Amino acid sequence: TQLLEQSPQFLSIQEGENLTVYCNSSSVFSSLQWYRQEPGEGPVLLVTVVTGGEVKKLKRLTFQFGDARKDSSLHITAAQPGDTGLYLCAGANAGGTSYGKLTFGQGTILTVHP
Amino acid sequence: NAGVTQTPKFRVLKTGQSMTLLCAQDMNHEYMYWYRQDPGMGLRLIHYSVGEGTTAKGEVPDGYNVSRLKKQNFLLGLESAAPSQTSVYFCASSWDRVHYGYTFGSGTRLTVV
């Protein structure tokens, strides 16, 4: 069973601060996806990274896939209250009978105070 | 809006009752999934389908059955509900398993008393 360790579990910061969320595993993934979930709603895809070392930017959010495709990070610059939510990373299995199956991290609950 | 629609949004069942959760997608996706989300447990895959007429077990399939008779619909059944099945259930669909990510529905909150 592949595991994704996400840290930190909780993050409470002030508006304007920067933050980084980490997603780590000992397993190699075909791709790594990041989702954001608001209360009472389903997760919404933010980005998919596929190539080792890949960096993608989405406005103030920067996503990085590790060179070995075992880890990823999400960095938010100048956080805003609208960034508040649950952030989930998910890795797609790299091979075998579970190819493509998503493994989710436990999530990071981010609260940005005005 | 195009996407994944789940019904119902809320349901309370008594232990032993049965019910079916409905999921419909209008994006012509081949792959569909049922997850449950519990505090501290994250999202866990119950069953999934790689195409019309096919289904497969995920991590936590016991107590659930599924059917995919039409490409756009994926049904999740609880034959005899148990309190341990109290959870939020999410349906998702995707073009493929690796590159395009999943589109999730807004969830069904199920309470079994």
Side-chain angles (χ1 to χ4, degrees), chain A residues 28-61:
Chain A
V28 176
F29 292 102
S30 298
S31 69
L32 205 297
Q33 301 165 17
W34 285 91
Y35 294 82
R36 178 167 168 262
Q37 185 178 15
E38 297 194 30
E41 297 294 328
V44 176
L45 180 69
L46 295 174
V47 78
T48 301
V49 284
V50 179
T51 306
E54 183 176 2
V55 176
K56 280 192 175 179
K57 292 191 175 183
L58 196 65
K59 297 183 180 178
R60 295 176 292 100
L61 279 61

Side-chain angles (χ1 to χ4, degrees), chain A residues 22-102:
Chain A
Y22 299 94
C23 194
N24 295 297
S25 176
S26 58
S27 303
V28 176
F29 292 102
S30 298
S31 69
L32 205 297
Q33 301 165 17
W34 285 91
Y35 294 82
R36 178 167 168 262
Q37 185 178 15
E38 297 194 30
E41 297 294 328
V44 176
L45 180 69
L46 295 174
V47 78
T48 301
V49 284
V50 179
T51 306
E54 183 176 2
V55 176
K56 280 192 175 179
K57 292 191 175 183
L58 196 65
K59 297 183 180 178
R60 295 176 292 100
L61 279 61
T62 301
F63 305 85
Q64 185 161 7
F65 200 13
D67 290 341
R69 293 187 290 137
K70 294 182 178 181
D71 54 86
S72 181
S73 64
L74 157 62
H75 182 78
I76 301 179
T77 304
Q80 298 176 0
D83 295 327
T84 293
L86 172 66
Y87 289 81
L88 295 160
C89 64
N93 289 12
T97 57
S98 296
Y99 174 72
K101 177 188 160 190
L102 277 191

Side-chain angles (χ1 to χ4, degrees), chain A residues 30-31 33 35 37 40-43 45 48 50 86 88 92 99-102 104 106, chain B residues 35 37 40-43 45 48 58-59 90 97-102 104-107:
Chain A
S30 298
S31 69
Q33 301 165 17
Y35 294 82
Q37 185 178 15
E41 297 294 328
L45 180 69
T48 301
V50 179
L86 172 66
L88 295 160
Y99 174 72
K101 177 188 160 190
L102 277 191
F104 280 87
Q106 297 298 313
Chain B
Y35 284 87
Q37 187 174 38
M41 303 292 288
L43 280 159
L45 182 64
Y48 65 99
E59 300 172 62
F90 288 100
R97 299 196 214 177
V98 175
H99 299 98
Y100 292 98
Y102 290 9
F104 282 86
S106 57

Side-chain angles (χ1 to χ4, degrees), chain B residues 53-83:
Chain B
T54 72
T55 63
K57 294 180 180 179
E59 300 172 62
V60 289
D62 294 342
Y64 306 96
N65 58 75
V66 289
S67 66
R68 185 129 181 243
L69 300 179
K70 292 184 178 180
K71 186 177 184 178
Q72 63 267 34
N73 298 332
F74 196 28
L75 308 181
L76 178 71
L78 284 72
E79 295 170 339
S80 179

